[in-house]
Amino acid sequence: MKTHLYWRALFLLLALAATGRAEINLLYLRHAEGGHNVVRKFQEAGIPTNEWPAYVGKDSAFTPEGEAQAQAVVDHLQKHTFDLIAVSPTWRTRNTILPYLKATGQKAEIWPELAETANTDVLPSEGEINPDLWSGKRAIRLSAEEADFFHLRADPPGLHELVVSNRLEAVACAERVETLLRDRFNDQPARVLLVGHGNASRTLLRQLTRQPDARAEHLGNTRSWTGKEQPDGSYAIERYNERP
């Protein structure tokens, strides 16, 4: 048995030496259902706006289903361990992962580059490109409760939210996320959880898989995808929406 383990360890070391890279295993989780996600459902049902529950239309409030989803994340992630948890600055992403952080005593970093974006399939006109994307628009503020479980990344624009309004800006954010991961772990093996949004997820997938025009099905609320870094630095997607 010891001999077997020795040769297995030696094989892994030789494989890493040959590739020059130890892979990052990545899990991307979309936030729980917010009130903004169900506006169309209420409109299509013909329900008058004065009869809508208070959460409808709000991106800083969960639906009853969203509340249940956020709690279910705790069990969903229990089988995983992470070297880094990075979260979009929005209320809905922070509060999706907060029950898990409380249950496990872990802490997450807030990465503005994981921000949601407008339609990432539409290229902007020249006048719509933000020349100073990283300047930040709004300061990120944490409640006293959240301060125990989140911290703001020290380097710019770690203290500010980004407003990402088009595909080029979204691609810039995805490139920055990839660079941050590479620089953080410096070719060391790692397991990383990113908590973000639907549109931003598609852009990051395209960036990591080196398929800029790839299409991906809708990522459900609190659904995830997993990817493994390859020797050339790209990522192979192993599961999407909980399916192989």
Side-chain angles (χ1 to χ4, degrees):
M1 179 62 73
K2 289 183 178 180
T3 301
H4 171 73
L5 293 175
Y6 167 81
W7 285 110
R8 182 179 180 186
L10 180 62
F11 173 80
L12 290 173
L13 288 172
L14 290 173
L16 290 175
T19 62
R21 182 181 295 274
E23 76 272 2
I24 293 174
N25 287 275
L26 184 64
L27 191 154
Y28 186 102
L29 178 75
R30 188 186 174 203
H31 62 79
E33 184 181 74
H36 65 299
N37 294 132
V38 297
V39 171
R40 180 177 295 181
K41 181 173 69 174
F42 278 78
Q43 290 173 334
E44 291 176 347
I47 302 173
T49 55
N50 62 346
E51 296 180 12
W52 289 3
Y55 59 77
V56 178
K58 294 183 178 179
D59 60 7
S60 59
F62 288 139
T63 66
E65 176 68 14
E67 294 279 1
Q69 289 171 344
Q71 292 301 319
V73 163
V74 178
D75 289 335
H76 176 63
L77 296 181
Q78 283 286 10
K79 59 182 179 290
H80 298 281
T81 57
F82 300 105
D83 300 293
L84 169 69
I85 302 173
V87 183
S88 162
T90 61
W91 181 94
R92 57 192 183 275
T93 49
R94 299 196 315 261
N95 283 272
T96 293
I97 200 61
L98 184 57
Y100 171 75
L101 298 177
K102 289 180 175 180
T104 60
Q106 296 182 78
K107 203 162 187 174
E109 283 187 18
I110 293 182
W111 284 16
E113 296 83 359
L114 292 171
E116 181 60 302
T117 178
N119 190 337
T120 56
D121 295 322
V122 176
L123 287 171
S125 64
E126 184 175 350
E128 294 175 322
I129 300 173
N130 179 2
D132 193 18
L133 177 63
W134 311 116
S135 64
K137 301 298 179 183
R138 292 182 297 181
I140 300 170
R141 303 191 186 282
L142 302 175
S143 67
E145 176 190 32
E146 289 177 315
D148 290 333
F149 298 98
F150 298 95
H151 64 275
L152 305 176
R153 209 180 64 229
D155 56 290
L159 303 178
H160 295 87
E161 290 188 43
L162 301 179
V163 178
V164 186
S165 57
N166 57 61
R167 183 172 181 176
L168 291 185
E169 293 174 356
V171 169
C173 284
E175 291 174 344
R176 185 78 166 258
V177 168
E178 183 179 15
T179 298
L180 286 166
L181 290 172
R182 184 173 61 247
D183 292 349
R184 175 66 59 92
F185 295 105
N186 193 26
D187 291 340
Q188 297 299 310
R191 296 187 62 84
V192 176
L193 170 65
L194 302 179
V195 186
H197 306 268
N199 286 339
S201 165
R202 288 193 291 271
T203 308
L204 186 59
L205 273 172
R206 292 166 178 161
Q207 172 66 27
L208 296 180
T209 61
R210 307 293 189 262
Q211 299 181 55
D213 298 315
R215 300 282 176 174
E217 70 178 39
H218 175 75
L219 186 65
N221 292 110
T222 62
R223 296 291 183 170
S224 63
W225 53 262
T226 59
K228 178 178 287 188
E229 189 181 18
Q230 303 301 293
D232 66 356
S234 67
Y235 283 70
I237 304 306
E238 298 179 325
R239 298 185 68 83
Y240 189 90
N241 265 335
E242 320 310 324
R243 299 192 303 271

